[in-house]
Amino acid sequence: ENWFMSAVGDPLDWDYLADADTGAVQGTSTSKFGELGSPITALIPGSGTTLFVAGRNNLHVITGDPLWDDSKQEAVSLDVGVVGQHAWCYGPNKSIYFMSENGLYLLGPNDFNLSQTDRLSAGKFDKTFGDVAFDSTNAFLAYDYNGHGVHIFLAPTSDRGSKTTHYYYDRR
């Protein structure tokens, strides 16, 4: 539920009490940030100085360096999240596709507000994705620039004898 960043220019410096301008920072070490409402499932670098921080049922964005005065942490959604660390991919024009517990979503480069009504897979894979037990399934997404779509791989985490399921979302 808490996030951590190393010092600027030194990925091995995790001293949160050192330099206040370039030092390491964590969500609870500043007065304007804090812990998220649920465990973090994915970190997604956005365009510029944005970082999307996802839980299973929420998505936040951090803009700028958390040590800067003008940096912010804002909720993008409090009911849509990302199911795992590999359950997202980049698409054209810096867009981000990701798998949530109820389906596939698209986050445009300037989208900072998302709800369940924005689900790309609505009406197409509702039952299929709704029946997936993401506690025991890893989701992997990859964008196919030649085919204009998203490959969605669902692999069981424990039973190595089970088969991976593959879906394809065609943007066209």
Side-chain angles (χ1 to χ4, degrees):
E1 296 170 8
N2 198 2
W3 50 267
F4 305 87
M5 294 181 185
S6 66
V8 174
D10 187 357
L12 301 178
D13 180 356
W14 294 93
D15 184 0
Y16 302 109
L17 302 175
D19 187 358
D21 292 328
T22 61
V25 65
Q26 61 181 330
T28 57
S29 67
T30 67
S31 60
K32 60 184 168 181
F33 300 112
E35 293 181 5
L36 302 177
S38 62
I40 296 170
T41 57
L43 297 174
I44 306 170
S47 60
T49 59
T50 60
L51 176 68
F52 292 95
V53 182
R56 291 284 291 262
N57 297 301
N58 59 60
L59 183 62
H60 289 78
V61 64
I62 298 174
T63 56
D65 187 315
L67 293 175
W68 298 344
D69 289 336
D70 61 346
S71 65
K72 296 183 215 174
Q73 175 181 319
E74 296 180 1
V76 175
S77 178
L78 296 176
D79 63 350
V80 175
V82 181
V83 295
Q85 63 182 341
H86 304 290
W88 64 274
C89 66
Y90 293 115
N93 303 318
K94 299 183 182 181
S95 59
I96 300 169
Y97 290 87
F98 66 91
M99 179 61 66
S100 188
E101 288 184 331
N102 64 349
L104 182 67
Y105 286 82
L106 170 63
L107 188 62
N110 294 313
D111 290 343
F112 296 103
N113 189 11
L114 189 71
S115 71
Q116 291 191 21
T117 59
D118 297 318
R119 191 172 69 244
L120 292 176
S121 59
K124 299 171 186 91
F125 291 106
D126 291 340
K127 179 157 177 36
T128 302
F129 293 142
D131 289 344
V132 174
F134 286 105
D135 290 335
S136 60
T137 303
N138 285 326
F140 300 89
L141 272 64
Y143 191 82
D144 180 354
Y145 285 91
N146 292 329
H148 305 284
V150 179
H151 291 277
I152 304 164
F153 300 94
L154 301 177
T157 57
S158 59
D159 185 6
R160 300 288 179 191
S162 296
K163 294 181 180 180
T164 297
T165 306
H166 174 240
Y167 298 96
Y168 186 77
Y169 176 79
D170 191 326
R171 271 188 34 184
R172 297 169 290 180

